Amino acid sequence: EVSSFQLESTDTFHPWIAALLNLTPDHLDRHADVAEYAAAKARIFAGGGVQGGRPPTYAQQMVRPFIRVMRSYPQIPAALLDQAEAAPSDRRVPVPRAQALLQAAVTLTGEDDLGLLAARETERGSLDVLEYAVFSASSWRTALETLLRYSRVMNGAADCRLESVDDKAHVVLDSRVPLTRAGIDFQCAIFHVTGSRWLSPAPELEV
């Protein structure tokens, strides 16, 4: 919980998810009127709030599969990978920066399929609560809706949706930030790989 007093001056508070629970004529001894009070509360969604104009970010869990893959390439300094792996689990990595580093790694190693290889290295349960919430759902539709609703917990740039066409469900995995080919491969493949590991038999998927 964050008060309007705190939100008035903060420029460093950037929660992943925020909600405005109420707006009543309170604290008018501090704020000139209800409109000013509302503006202070609304800062949680603006410059002092959710992602506040900063680029969207990846959770550290999205980076670790790439670290494991890159250890097999001598062109990538081990010290650099050790530093990346030692980062705290709550670290967030800006998506544009991650994509630039990923493209540099592809160029350095000559491995065009780096995104696919990283998806294969994703361990069951590595997506934490999002993964368990999705695969404890009562139906495929509920699982997909949960995934699409909360995917930005792991990938702040995710722009995913579910479309029904005739007798097929189309899962559109888009991004608000341009992705490299390796980034696109990873985003699509991690969906398939994770689902295949949890579901038996795995559903028929077309890409």
Side-chain angles (χ1 to χ4, degrees):
E1 183 178 353
V2 184
S3 74
S4 61
F5 298 0
Q6 294 168 309
L7 288 169
E8 279 180 324
S9 58
T10 182
D11 292 313
T12 58
F13 179 56
H14 300 282
W16 298 347
I17 301 171
L20 178 62
L21 301 179
N22 61 71
L23 180 61
T24 56
D26 294 328
H27 307 301
L28 297 184
D29 56 330
R30 181 180 182 93
H31 302 288
D33 50 34
V34 174
E36 184 178 296
Y37 178 41
K41 281 199 165 193
R43 278 180 55 80
I44 199 167
F45 303 110
V50 180
Q51 297 297 330
R54 299 184 178 187
T57 56
Y58 286 132
Q60 179 69 1
Q61 292 92 326
M62 300 288 284
V63 177
R64 286 180 177 145
F66 287 96
I67 297 173
R68 285 194 286 273
V69 169
M70 289 180 194
R71 288 199 181 278
S72 60
Y73 296 93
Q75 301 96 320
I76 309 294
L80 184 63
L81 297 175
D82 291 342
Q83 182 182 6
E85 194 164 35
S89 59
D90 62 349
R91 178 190 180 214
R92 305 289 296 187
V93 181
V95 175
R97 180 183 173 206
Q99 290 299 308
L101 291 172
L102 181 54
Q103 185 57 50
V106 169
T107 301
L108 195 61
T109 62
E111 180 55 77
D112 292 330
D113 294 332
L114 208 54
L116 298 175
L117 295 172
R120 194 171 62 185
E121 287 294 317
T122 304
E123 299 174 344
R124 177 170 168 156
S126 63
L127 301 182
D128 291 339
V129 67
L130 174 62
E131 190 170 330
Y132 290 108
V134 169
F135 293 106
S136 61
S138 59
S139 67
W140 245 108
R141 183 180 185 86
T142 304
L144 288 173
E145 289 173 345
T146 302
L147 171 65
L148 302 182
R149 186 177 302 119
Y150 299 110
S151 58
R152 289 188 184 174
V153 172
M154 289 292 158
N155 175 4
D159 185 14
C160 308
R161 59 191 181 275
L162 179 63
E163 298 176 351
S164 296
V165 180
D166 298 328
D167 61 342
K168 291 185 178 181
H170 290 194
V171 179
V172 181
L173 305 175
D174 208 342
S175 173
R176 295 184 297 126
V177 172
L179 301 179
T180 62
R181 181 207 142 176
I184 295 170
D185 286 348
F186 180 74
Q187 184 164 292
C188 294
I190 195 174
F191 176 83
H192 177 77
V193 169
T194 305
S196 299
R197 287 177 178 167
W198 276 92
L199 301 171
S200 181
E204 182 180 347
L205 299 175
E206 299 177 10
V207 179

